[in-house]
Amino acid sequence: MSRTPTTAARVVIIGAGIVGCSLADELTARGWSDVTVLEQGPLPAPGGSTSHAPGLVFRTNPSKTMTGFATYTAEKFAGLDVDGLPCFHRVGGLEVATTPERWADLHRKAGYAASWGVDGELVTPERCAELWPLLDPGQVLGGFHTPGDGLVRAVLACRAQTRRAEERGARFLERHTVTGIERADGRVTGVVTDRGAFPADVVVSAAGFWGPVIGRLAGVPVPLLPLAHQYVRTAPLPELAGVNDPRTEAGRPILRFQDADLYFREHTDRIGIGSYDHRPLPVDPFTLPSYDDAEVMPSSLAFTEEDFARGWEQSARLLPALARSSVEEGFNGVFSFTSDGMPVLGESRELRGFWLAEAVWVTHSAGVAKAVAEWLTDGRPSVDIHECDLHRFEDVQLSPGHVAERGARQFVEVYDIVHPLQPAERNRPLRVSPFHARQRELGAVFLESGGWERPHWYEANAPLAASVDVPERDAWSARYWSPIAAAEARATRERVALYDMTPLRRLEVTGAGALDFLQRMTTNQLARKPGAVTYTLLLDEAGGIRSDLTVARLGERHFQVGANSGQDLDWLLRHAPDDVRVRDATSGTCCIGVWGPLARALVQPLTRDDFSHTAFGYFRAGRTWIGDVPVTAMRLSYVGELGWELYTGADTGLRLWDTLWEAGREFGVIAAGRSAFNSLRLEKGYRAWGQDMTAEHDPYEAGLGFAVRMDKGDFTGRAALAGRSAGSPGRRLTCLTLDDPAAVVLGKEPVYVDGSAVGYVTSAGYGYTIGRTVAYAWLPAAHAVPGTAVSVEYFGEKVPATVAEEPLFDPGMSRIRR
C-alpha cells in the first residue's frame, strides 16, 4: 500500500500503548493528520504491557533490523520529556558472565554490536563492580558494557508523543472498546466500538497481547502468545540511600544476569528484578478482565511467589546486599511472544487496509512505529523488515497449538545461548518431503526451516568422510555440523549427488497477462520462448531487492517461479491483474537436484529425451519422463556442477527418488544435505536472499547487475536505478577468504580494516574444494578491491582474511556448461 501525505488516509489505531502512541506521532509527523487512536482503558496508562514495562532498551541483537529499531527508540525518546522529566535515561547496559560459555557468548555479542554500529566493550570483573558496586566481582568472569543503552519511562513517552500527535491533528479516545471491524469488498472500512463507529481507510492493530482478540474480529490470524513474566521491587536498600535522583530513579546500568535468566534496574533506593527463571505462564487474552474489573490492571496478574524462589536466591548470589533485604512487591506482568521472537508487522492481504504492529516490546517500539509509518506513507520502510513481516509464516506455523508451543519456547530461551542453526525440539516434524522415509533410512540429520525438515548431512556417508581432510573446529562452529558435509561436497564435485530441494517455494503464474505482469514485476528479460529459464529480481520502488527468482517459461501463458518466501507470494498476489493467476504449488510438488559431473550419465538412460548439452542447454526447461515419473526438468545448478532440478507431484516423488537412486548406484550416487550445499554455493558465489542481500541493497551493490535489463521496458524499481551501474556503488557485497585454512566464521561477524569495523559478514562456510572458509561481507567499495587485507572478528579474535576475486570456483562455467 502506498499513499502520499497529500492523499492521506483516515487512520484508526487500536491501542494507545507505546506502539500506538509512537505510530500516531510518526504518522502525523509525515503529514497524516486524520489519525484516531482508540483505547479500551483510561489514558495515559490504560493497563496494557506499556503500563507496567520496566523500560529496558538493550540495543544489541543478532538481528540487524531489531538493533536498528532499538537504536532509533533510544535516540528518539532521548529527545522527549514531559514537564522537564526525560523520557529516556541513558544509564547504559551491562551484561555479566558467570560461566565460560556465557563469557564466550558476550564476545560474540560484542561482535554483533560492532557489526551493527553499537558502541560497546568487554570489561573485567573489576570494571563490572565499578559500574555496579553492589555486584560481587568474584561471581563473574567479565561483562559487556554498552553505554548508549538505557531506560525508557514508557508511560511518559506515550504522553510526550500523544501531545505532539494531538498538536498535529490526531485524537486519542479512551475507554472505547473495539467490538467489530467493518469491511466491504475485501477492504477495511471502519472500526466499531461500544461508543460508536469510526470510518477508516487504514486500521492498525497495535493492541499488544490483545492482538489475537482484534485479529479475530477482523478475520486475520495474529500469531502471538501472551505470557506472564515476573517482576519485583525490593525493600529500600541502605546501600542505595541518597545515591540516585528520584526524578531519574537510576544511575547505574541496566544489569543482565542471563546465566540465571534475571535482569536488574534501580528504582531510586530499591532494585527492580525481572525473572524469566520460571515456568511459562501463558495467558488467554480473551478471558482477561477489563481495566475496571482487574485487581490492579489487566496486564498485572497476581504474583506467584513460588515461581520466584530460585530467582531470588540467584539474585542474592550476584548482589549479596539482597540477602539482607526482601521482596516488597511483585507481580506477573503480561506481554507478547511469537514463535520466532520477532514482531508481526504488515498489511493483511485478505483484508486490505488492516495492518498489524504487534508483538513489539518497548525496546523496539519507536523503531517499529517509524518503519510502519514509512510503509504506510511511502510504500516501503527505509529498513529491511522481512524478518518481521506477517507473511513470513507458513500456514502450518499459524495453528494455535504451534504458536503456543513455540511462543512458550521463546520465553524459556529468551536468555539462553542459542546457536543460529539450533532447531526446536518439539512440535516436529511439521512438513516433510516425499523423500523423508528414504532420508531417515540414510541417517539424515534434520534441521528445521520454514516448518520443513531439511537434511543437513547423512550419517550413511560417514565412511566417505574418513578420507577427507577437514580442519578441526571449535565447539561452537562444530555444533550442527559434521565432517560428513565435506565428503558430500567432494562426492558432488567428483561424481553425483541427490539434493532435496522441495522446500524451495514454487509458484505458478498463468493467464493471458502472465508475461506482461512478470515483465513489470521483475528486472530481467522474460520475453523468451517457452523452455527458457531466467534469473531475475523483485525490486521495490526504491530499487531495493525484495527477492531473487528463477522464472521458467513452460508455455506461452504458463510460468513456474522459484521464489524465497511467502512474502514473494504476497507481493505478486497484491499486484496481479485480473487476467493473471498466481498460485503456490509448493505443497503439491517436490524437487530433486541431481548435480555432479556424472549427472547426465545418471539421468540420460532414464529418459527418451535428449539431455545433451546441445539439446538441453543451461538455463533451459522442459517436460519429460524419468522412468515412469512425469517431471519438469530445469537445467540449473546452485552448486556449480552439471545437473538438473527435477520437479514432480508429491504423489510421485518417492518413485522419482527410488528411480534415481537405483540408477545411480553404478555411479556412486549419494544423498547430500544443506551443509554441503551451502559450501558449494559459496564457492560459486551464489547469493542467498535474506542473508546476503535484502531490500536495503540494490542489484549493483549486491553484484547482481547482470540480472537487470534497463532496455526491456518499465518495471518496478527501474526509475530508482536510473543513473546507477556496476561502477557506482559506495558499498559492495564482497567475497573474502580466511587466510588460515583452519579458521572459520559463521556469519554476522564484524569486518575490520586498520583496526576499525567497516562492514559485516552475511554468509560464511568452509569451502571444501578450495580448502578454506569463504565469507561474503558488506564492505565500503574502497575496501572491496581483490587483494585487500581485512580481518574478521570471531569471538573476540581478529582472523586475517583477504578480499578475493569471485567466483572462487570455475569462473569460466565449464563444469556447468558441458
Side-chain angles (χ1 to χ4, degrees):
M1 176 177 181
S2 177
R3 296 176 186 268
T4 63
T6 55
T7 58
R10 297 171 298 174
V11 180
V12 172
I13 299 170
I14 300 173
I18 192 69
V19 178
C21 292
S22 296
L23 180 56
D25 182 48
E26 295 287 341
L27 284 174
T28 55
R30 288 164 174 78
W32 282 26
S33 58
D34 193 350
V35 175
T36 300
V37 183
L38 300 176
E39 175 51 60
Q40 63 182 344
L43 296 176
S49 300
T50 300
S51 300
H52 65 67
L56 282 61
V57 178
F58 274 95
R59 293 166 296 161
T60 306
N61 190 289
S63 166
K64 179 176 180 289
T65 297
M66 296 296 276
T67 300
F69 285 161
T71 298
Y72 180 79
T73 298
E75 292 172 351
K76 179 180 182 179
F77 291 166
L80 298 179
D81 70 88
V82 175
D83 300 329
L85 287 175
C87 294
F88 181 78
H89 192 27
R90 204 178 295 276
V91 295
L94 177 64
E95 301 178 56
V96 296
T98 60
T99 65
E101 293 78 12
R102 183 68 63 180
W103 184 226
D105 187 60
L106 291 187
H107 282 76
R108 187 165 61 104
K109 188 164 288 185
Y112 292 147
S115 289
W116 315 145
V118 174
D119 182 26
E121 64 173 342
L122 294 164
V123 296
T124 64
E126 292 73 24
R127 177 58 176 155
C128 291
E130 290 176 7
L131 292 165
W132 250 87
L134 298 185
L135 180 148
D136 178 4
Q139 294 292 324
V140 304
L141 302 177
F144 177 50
H145 179 221
T146 45
D149 292 341
L151 295 166
V152 173
R153 293 190 178 203
V155 173
L156 212 61
C158 285
R159 288 178 58 192
Q161 293 178 105
T162 296
R163 181 182 61 200
R164 298 201 315 185
E166 287 177 332
E167 290 172 352
R168 304 184 192 114
R171 57 176 175 168
F172 289 72
L173 302 178
E174 63 181 357
R175 295 191 177 277
H176 280 65
T177 299
V178 174
T179 59
I181 305 295
E182 295 183 321
R183 69 200 81 181
D185 300 323
R187 287 202 60 88
V188 70
T189 60
V191 177
V192 180
T193 76
D194 57 353
R195 298 177 66 178
F198 298 84
D201 304 302
V202 173
V203 173
V204 183
S205 178
F209 57 76
W210 282 290
V213 177
I214 301 302
R216 181 177 292 183
L217 295 175
V220 175
V222 180
L224 65 81
L225 176 70
L227 285 154
H229 157 61
Q230 292 197 307
Y231 192 80
V232 306
R233 296 192 190 200
T234 68
L237 295 171
E239 294 85 351
L240 293 181
V243 171
N244 294 313
D245 183 345
R247 289 170 54 84
T248 57
E249 291 191 343
R252 292 164 183 164
I254 312 160
L255 177 63
R256 288 207 284 193
F257 180 18
Q258 292 178 298
D259 288 322
D261 294 317
L262 298 166
Y263 64 83
F264 308 86
R265 58 152 295 181
E266 294 174 314
H267 291 281
T268 311
D269 59 351
R270 293 166 169 81
I271 293 178
I273 307 172
S275 173
Y276 294 97
D277 185 30
H278 58 82
R279 61 195 168 96
L281 299 168
V283 175
D284 183 355
F286 293 90
T287 61
L288 283 173
S290 66
Y291 186 93
D292 292 328
D293 292 333
E295 185 173 341
V296 180
M297 64 176 90
S299 64
S300 181
L301 306 183
F303 184 60
T304 50
E305 187 174 353
E306 64 278 8
D307 288 312
F308 193 69
R310 186 169 57 183
W312 180 251
E313 292 176 3
Q314 293 295 322
S315 297
R317 178 167 73 89
L318 183 68
L319 307 176
L322 294 183
R324 301 184 295 275
S325 186
S326 62
V327 173
E328 187 170 82
E329 57 179 322
F331 65 97
N332 291 357
V334 183
F335 64 141
S336 304
F337 283 80
T338 58
S339 59
D340 60 4
M342 303 295 282
V344 182
L345 312 178
E347 182 190 23
S348 167
R349 188 172 63 252
E350 291 73 24
L351 183 58
R352 302 293 180 90
F354 183 80
W355 289 69
L356 298 180
E358 297 290 12
V360 182
W361 296 1
V362 169
T363 308
H364 310 104
S365 55
V368 164
K370 177 176 180 283
V372 174
E374 291 172 334
W375 207 347
L376 283 163
T377 60
D378 302 332
R380 68 183 294 271
S382 59
V383 297
D384 170 59
I385 50 83
H386 82 273
E387 297 171 304
C388 310
D389 193 305
L390 68 93
H391 298 99
R392 71 187 184 271
F393 295 113
E394 304 293 332
D395 287 345
V396 294
Q397 296 174 308
L398 295 175
S399 75
H402 183 80
V403 172
E405 169 61 37
R406 295 294 173 88
R409 172 179 176 258
Q410 286 294 321
F411 179 91
V412 170
E413 294 182 350
V414 69
Y415 278 174
D416 285 0
I417 301 171
V418 179
H419 194 278
L421 293 177
Q422 183 171 323
E425 296 179 359
R426 300 178 60 181
N427 208 29
R428 291 176 60 196
L430 278 174
R431 309 178 82 183
V432 298
S433 77
F435 325 127
H436 187 69
R438 298 292 183 265
Q439 292 166 342
R440 292 183 62 184
E441 291 168 4
L442 293 170
V445 175
F446 293 100
L447 303 184
E448 183 193 50
S449 178
W452 286 102
E453 295 294 317
R454 306 185 76 165
H456 273 241
W457 66 86
Y458 293 83
E459 290 295 331
N461 296 323
L464 301 177
S467 60
V468 176
D469 184 18
V470 184
E472 290 188 8
R473 292 197 171 202
D474 64 276
W476 183 254
S477 65
R479 292 183 68 184
Y480 309 106
W481 173 84
S482 168
I484 294 172
E488 294 177 359
R490 186 168 77 174
T492 306
R493 292 278 189 238
E494 295 179 353
R495 300 192 305 276
V496 62
L498 306 184
Y499 287 81
D500 182 359
M501 302 301 290
T502 300
L504 175 69
R505 186 174 293 272
R506 293 169 291 286
L507 310 178
E508 282 188 353
V509 181
T510 56
L515 174 61
D516 289 342
F517 168 62
L518 288 172
Q519 284 280 73
R520 291 194 307 273
M521 297 301 296
T522 70
T523 60
N524 214 334
Q525 178 58 264
L526 303 182
R528 303 169 64 193
K529 293 180 180 179
V533 182
T534 305
Y535 178 81
T536 188
L537 306 173
L538 283 178
L539 305 183
D540 60 26
E541 292 289 352
I545 304 172
R546 286 190 57 91
S547 189
D548 62 340
L549 313 173
T550 53
V551 179
R553 191 172 191 183
L554 303 181
E556 290 291 335
R557 300 180 175 185
H558 183 189
F559 295 81
Q560 180 172 311
V561 178
N564 284 298
S565 71
Q567 296 166 59
D568 298 343
L569 173 64
D570 176 65
W571 183 254
L572 294 176
L573 284 171
R574 287 178 185 277
H575 291 86
D578 292 340
D579 62 348
V580 173
R581 184 186 181 208
V582 180
R583 184 179 74 89
D584 189 342
T586 309
S587 296
T589 56
C590 59
C591 177
I592 299 175
V594 185
W595 291 314
L598 301 181
R600 183 178 287 115
L602 191 163
V603 175
Q604 182 62 82
L606 300 175
T607 179
R608 295 183 179 182
D609 291 312
D610 188 351
F611 269 51
S612 68
H613 180 63
T614 302
F616 201 142
Y618 188 53
F619 264 73
R620 299 292 299 173
R623 292 189 175 92
T624 187
W625 299 82
I626 298 296
D628 296 324
V629 180
V631 303
T632 297
M634 297 187 195
R635 191 167 166 199
L636 307 175
S637 175
Y638 289 98
V639 299
E641 296 292 340
L642 171 69
W644 287 264
E645 291 179 355
L646 302 176
Y647 297 88
T648 191
D651 56 340
T652 52
L654 187 58
R655 181 67 176 270
L656 176 62
W657 179 281
D658 289 344
T659 300
L660 292 166
W661 188 261
E662 186 61 33
R665 288 181 184 276
E666 65 175 294
F667 305 108
V669 71
I670 67 161
R674 295 295 298 184
S675 187
F677 177 92
N678 191 54
S679 169
L680 297 170
R681 71 100 181 164
L682 284 168
E683 291 181 331
K684 194 60 183 168
Y686 293 141
R687 278 73 165 132
W689 184 84
Q691 288 179 254
D692 298 318
M693 70 280 190
T694 68
E696 293 183 3
H697 311 108
D698 76 32
Y700 303 111
E701 294 172 326
L704 299 175
F706 66 87
V708 178
R709 294 290 182 267
M710 294 292 284
D711 59 353
K712 76 163 187 170
D714 196 23
F715 57 84
T716 301
R718 183 182 185 279
L721 295 184
R724 305 187 202 180
S725 69
S728 64
R731 59 179 176 177
R732 295 184 186 277
L733 183 62
T734 307
C735 180
L736 310 176
T737 56
L738 301 193
D739 296 351
D740 181 354
V744 296
V745 296
L746 300 181
K748 300 186 178 181
E749 297 90 353
V751 179
Y752 285 81
V753 174
D754 296 331
S756 298
V758 297
Y760 59 91
V761 174
T762 57
S763 296
Y766 200 85
Y768 300 113
T769 312
I770 67 167
R772 64 188 63 241
T773 292
V774 182
Y776 273 79
W778 281 102
L779 296 179
H783 301 305
V785 179
T788 302
V790 301
S791 61
V792 181
E793 185 178 286
Y794 182 69
F795 285 92
E797 179 185 354
K798 299 294 195 303
V799 181
T802 302
V803 174
E805 196 80 48
E806 60 170 334
L808 298 169
F809 180 79
D810 189 27
M813 301 286 284
S814 62
R815 296 178 69 92
I816 292 177
R817 292 177 170 148
R818 60 179 173 179

